[in-house]
Amino acid sequence: MKVADILRVKGNTLYTVNPDEPLMRAVEIMADKDIGSLVVIDHGDLTGMLTFREVIQVVVKNGGTIGTTRVRKAMDDAPLTCTSETELDEVRRMMLDRHARYMPVMDKRMLMGVISFYDVAKTVVDSQNFENQMLKAYIRDWPSEDEPGKS
């Protein structure tokens, strides 16, 4: 299974923010859209990833407030990325190694979407459930040795 399979089911709604916007504006977007990350785009290029993890780090650093911090100061400026052709097993390994909860999907320099660790886990569980159903159906239809004409 590949990342493209997740994107096909998930859809292609993307939420982005400019690196020079106030961090508070980004937090408002995340809260309003009920999302845990924003892709940071500058002049059409991916320049970073902002997640609730980076926001919390800023709040702690600023003594409990966001203050006047800009997205650029908070974002991860070297986010982990993949392509739509990346195998799901590889994505799981990459996300676990980097403790990444969100990963932009790129096609050369074009942003194709964002997948979350939840998206990956759900896809794996759904796939395993389907496989289990198929195996159970196969076992139920297994011919017994006593049936005439079966050998």
Side-chain angles (χ1 to χ4, degrees), residues 28-87:
E28 288 167 352
I29 293 168
M30 291 168 74
D32 181 54
K33 302 298 182 189
D34 192 25
I35 55 174
S37 70
L38 287 169
V39 180
V40 184
I41 300 288
D42 192 18
H43 297 91
D45 291 326
L46 171 75
T47 58
M49 192 75 181
L50 181 69
T51 71
F52 55 86
R53 177 183 289 154
E54 288 82 25
V55 173
I56 289 170
Q57 289 171 345
V58 167
V59 169
V60 168
K61 183 179 171 186
N62 289 343
T65 67
I66 288 179
T68 59
T69 306
R70 299 286 169 181
V71 169
R72 183 180 307 282
K73 288 287 189 181
M75 70 183 191
D76 174 358
D77 61 0
L80 186 62
T81 64
C82 64
T83 71
S84 57
E85 292 301 307
T86 306
E87 293 287 337

Side-chain angles (χ1 to χ4, degrees), residues 1-21:
M1 208 176 294
K2 297 183 180 195
V3 170
D5 298 317
I6 294 175
L7 291 179
R8 196 170 15 264
V9 172
K10 183 177 180 174
N12 56 2
T13 303
L14 288 171
Y15 297 101
T16 64
V17 67
N18 181 287
D20 296 317
E21 284 193 60

